[in-house]
Amino acid sequence: SGLVPFSQKWLEYWDKQFYLYMSGQDLNAIRQASVDEFRAVWKYAETPASLSGRYLDSQKDARAL
């Protein structure tokens, strides 16, 4: 049984996979991701709960210093 596409748990799973990829912890984490997953996570990244969104914000803040 897999995750229901676009459910909260699905978003959290893919958000974590994109975070792992962007932070360099797992360069294969998004190997199986589709455009739909990318788009959903990109939108989810705008929420405070998003790991990938917080990571992107921290990188933006680090570059501003």
Side-chain angles (χ1 to χ4, degrees), residues 10-62:
W10 181 89
L11 279 170
E12 290 168 357
Y13 170 80
W14 280 109
D15 180 57
K16 184 174 182 181
Q17 298 310 303
F18 276 84
Y19 166 76
L20 292 171
Y21 176 78
M22 290 186 298
S23 64
Q25 295 179 51
D26 185 353
L27 298 180
N28 292 313
I30 61 171
R31 182 175 218 142
Q32 301 296 322
S34 71
V35 172
D36 288 336
E37 278 108 9
F38 176 80
R39 287 179 180 156
V41 169
W42 194 252
K43 185 172 174 99
Y44 183 67
E46 298 172 359
T47 68
S50 170
L51 291 172
S52 58
R54 289 189 302 232
Y55 179 78
L56 290 172
D57 287 344
S58 73
Q59 295 304 299
K60 186 176 15 174
D61 293 342

